[in-house]
Amino acid sequence: MPRARALGIAIGGLPTGPTNSVLDVEGVGLGHVTITRETAMTGVSCLFLAQDAYPRPLVGGGAVLNGIGDCTGFLSLQESGLFESPVYLTSTSQVGRVYDAAFMLELDRHPELVEDIFVPVVAECDDSFLNDIRTMWVSPDDVYAAHEAALASRGSSAPPDEGSVGGGTGMSCLGFKGGIGTSSRVTPAGHTVAVLLMTNFGQRSRLTVDGVPVGRLVAEHVDPPKPAGSCIGVVVTDAPVDPLGCERLARRIGLGLARAGSTAHHGSGEIFLAASTTARTDRNGTVLDNGRRLGMRGLDDLFEAVVDAAEESVLNSLLMSPTTVGRDGNTSEGLDPDLVVRLLREHGRLG
């Protein structure tokens, strides 16, 4: 399955990083465990932010576009402005399983946290159209394996797996098969900004690719009967940004989703997070870096990077996902890349 760039689709004017993914931010990893057995169509993904995130938390922030969804650790992040956990992505019904395993995993790595407070970050979307949610499919071993895969991916010269993998296995987006998507940008100042999405939102008739209303141009654009859906988005950057700046970066993910066709309808949970890998403190909040922070107009290039990378991440999540048959024969159709290329050429968006 091709990524958007492989089809000649380039969103915005900023260059991408080497892998055009979250792996372009130093120290960041992404790993998945995909579960497709019996009536299961689910999994777990782990976005690893830093080796020492617990003793040296990352500055972070979050924003909610529409709140019919959940993310553990979100309130702690808003209150403290600090990230101390990897970000785990999974289905709604598996949050408890993933949370328990993530806590025990971190306790094994840092026994001292028994004397402190630790809240793992676990975010969810509803995969019940394709996945049988009556069974708790995700095991602690699956969470550990996703974490190990994330560690192993750091510094890779190739992009991570996308589409119907990990937490994105049972997701559908804009009337087609959705899932995991990622993209990165490099600002004129040399900062890398990357976005990771788990896409599970929208109507086929609203799908827009680089400004072309692909959904309305498809001969049969009747939307299949899927749940309202959601989208979890994470921004990771090596730019030194304070908590308020991270919150503002996170909020810009919504603009990228809107370009792709989202209207954030009532039943959708658009929950966004952002973290700076270079703005660090100790557990008491003492600044451990040089204290320099970007703010105000200094964030403008980062905003542009987030919006463009988010839009492209949606496209990657779609293009990398094949047609998938789930529980009770429910089917989520893969987006045909040849059709996308033809329509974009007809509208002058590709050479």
Side-chain angles (χ1 to χ4, degrees), residues 148-170:
E148 287 302 309
L151 290 177
S153 73
R154 293 175 297 170
S156 172
S157 60
D161 292 337
E162 294 172 282
S164 298
V165 294
T169 303

Side-chain angles (χ1 to χ4, degrees), residues 3-28:
R3 304 182 84 198
R5 293 274 161 163
L7 300 179
I9 303 170
I11 303 300
L14 293 174
T16 72
T19 71
N20 190 19
S21 79
V22 288
L23 302 186
D24 293 331
V25 181
E26 185 177 357
V28 173

Side-chain angles (χ1 to χ4, degrees), residues 58-77:
L58 292 71
V59 168
V64 176
L65 181 61
N66 198 67
I68 309 301
D70 210 349
C71 173
T72 68
F74 187 89
L75 291 178
S76 298
L77 173 63

